Structures are given as structure tokens and as C-alpha cells.
Amino acid sequence: MTESTHLHPQEPSSTQHNKSIFNLPNNLTIARILMIPLFVAIAYWPPAMGIGMPAISDNVIAKVGMSDFSDSLLRHLLLTGVFILAAITDWLDGYFARKLNVVSAFGRFLDPVADKLMVAAALIVLVQWHPNIIMAIAAIVIISREIAVSALREWMAELGKSTSVAVSYVGKLKTTFQMIAITVLLLNWQSLEMIGYVLMVAAVILTLWSMMIYLKAAWPYLKQSD
């Protein structure tokens, strides 16, 4: 869920090969993908726990443990926990890839895919729970940016110019705001809702900014005739 080109760096000459693609970093990435159906299942099943419940107010939080509130609150806590756990595995797979000096093409491919899938799943759930213009625009901008930048990186890699669209500081900052905003909104606590929206708007602005940086870097090649 970070800007993850650094998680599985290009293989140096001294890098050790692991014969199996199922090494520790890749297993963590696979686990992150498997968390997505779990995340969706928690969001919508069982129906008795409520779907798209209103934001939990402070007085409700104070009554945690009461049967009429515990199910709805439990759903949000579980969703937030799964999302945070996925973010932790995202950091851990990069850490162990560097620590164990384990690099694989499979890992370089799968890690950014896993990040984008989890974020997209969380945004889609949030759009249903918060059907307003802010969440709709945020989901469209963030998901569209990931698709556009992924296509741009693939095209630049074919030209041998992948370093021209390397991860930027703004991209990392965008990811930080995005992850915190999603976490806060998944909690669905009324007292934190405005903070979540402010962080999400900031994430959208940074998302557009970072995309402009990538496009600016690639523009000299994009405007060339075949």
C-alpha cells in the first residue's frame, strides 16, 4: 500500500536466489491478497451486524459492550484491524526482502498489485457507506491514478526508462495520507469523521500532484512520434 517499487528492488549481482517463489516476503504479499475477501466478508456478512450503519457517536462508544451497539462497532473494529494488518504486511515484506536479500520477479509483480487491490476494496466499501461526492471523487481519482501510473510505468519500462518514473516523495506522502484517511473512515466514529474527510481530500490533492510529476517525467517520451 506504499509506493512499492522499493519493496522488491532490482536484483544486484550479489543477490541470492531462492528456488521457490514462496519465500517469506512473497508469502506475506500473498497473505495480503487473501485478506481482501476476508475484508469484504466482514464488511457485508453476517447482515445482522448491519451494513452501512450511521457513524458511531461518542455516546455509543461509551456504551461498548451493550448488545444493541456491540455488533456494529465490532464490524468496524474488525475491518480497521484487517486493513492495518495488511498495511503492516506491506512494510514487512519489503523489510524481509532487504534483510534476507531475497528478490524475485514474482514479488516485484505481485507486491504493487496487492497494495492497489486492498486500497480499491476499502474505497469501494467506503463509497457505499458514505455515498457522497467527496468519497465518490476520492475513489475515482485514487483508483484511476493507480491504473494510469501502472500503465505509464509499464510503457516506460519497455523503453528502458523506468527510472524516469521512479517513486517520488510526493507519492509516498500521498500514500501516507491515503492510508490514514481510509483507516479513520473505516472506524466510522462520528468524532473522527471530519478528520477522515480532511485527510482524504488531502490524499486526493497529493494523488493528482504525484500523477502530474509522473506525467511530467514521461512527457518527453510521450510526445515523441513513433
Side-chain angles (χ1 to χ4, degrees):
M1 287 176 273
T2 59
E3 294 284 313
S4 54
T5 56
H6 68 290
L7 295 179
H8 297 276
Q10 295 295 324
E11 180 180 355
S13 58
S14 61
T15 299
Q16 297 178 356
H17 290 271
N18 192 320
K19 293 183 179 180
S20 173
I21 62 173
F22 298 107
N23 52 54
L24 181 56
N26 287 351
N27 287 341
L28 288 169
T29 301
I30 293 170
R32 188 156 70 256
I33 292 178
L34 294 177
M35 290 180 196
I36 296 171
L38 174 63
F39 181 89
V40 175
I42 292 172
Y44 297 105
W45 189 90
M49 290 176 66
I51 296 177
M53 300 293 289
I56 302 173
S57 62
D58 291 335
N59 64 323
V60 172
I61 294 173
K63 298 177 181 179
V64 171
M66 294 180 63
S67 59
D68 50 343
F69 298 121
S70 59
D71 285 350
S72 176
L73 181 57
L74 177 61
R75 183 191 294 277
H76 293 294
L77 292 176
L78 288 174
L79 279 174
T80 305
V82 170
F83 189 78
I84 291 174
L85 181 60
I88 292 173
T89 64
D90 182 30
W91 179 83
L92 285 176
D93 66 16
Y95 171 79
F96 284 117
R98 294 187 297 268
K99 184 75 171 179
L100 302 177
N101 204 24
V102 176
V103 176
S104 70
F106 180 75
R108 290 196 298 269
F109 154 72
L110 195 62
D111 183 76
V113 171
D115 300 342
K116 292 169 178 56
L117 288 176
M118 176 56 84
V119 168
L123 286 171
I124 291 169
V125 169
L126 286 174
V127 167
Q128 181 177 7
W129 286 358
H130 303 273
N132 56 60
I133 189 65
I134 294 177
M135 282 306 309
I137 290 176
I140 292 169
V141 169
I142 291 172
I143 294 175
S144 298
R145 181 265 189 193
E146 298 300 344
I147 294 172
V149 171
S150 294
L152 183 64
R153 284 175 177 161
E154 181 180 353
W155 180 72
M156 292 294 288
E158 291 177 0
L159 299 179
K161 303 293 184 180
S162 57
T163 55
S164 299
V165 287
V167 176
S168 68
Y169 172 76
V170 175
K172 294 178 180 179
L173 192 62
K174 175 270 302 181
T175 300
T176 300
F177 274 83
Q178 175 182 294
M179 301 307 291
I180 297 174
I182 292 174
T183 299
V184 171
L185 291 171
L186 284 174
L187 281 171
N188 211 28
W189 292 357
Q190 193 173 52
S191 57
L192 298 177
E193 191 173 49
M194 184 56 65
I195 295 175
Y197 278 116
V198 170
L199 290 171
M200 187 61 76
V201 170
V204 169
I205 294 171
L206 291 169
T207 294
L208 293 172
W209 186 3
S210 67
M211 186 169 65
M212 291 301 104
I213 291 174
Y214 289 122
L215 289 173
K216 181 180 179 180
W219 182 247
Y221 308 98
L222 288 170
K223 68 180 182 179
Q224 292 176 358
S225 60
D226 293 334

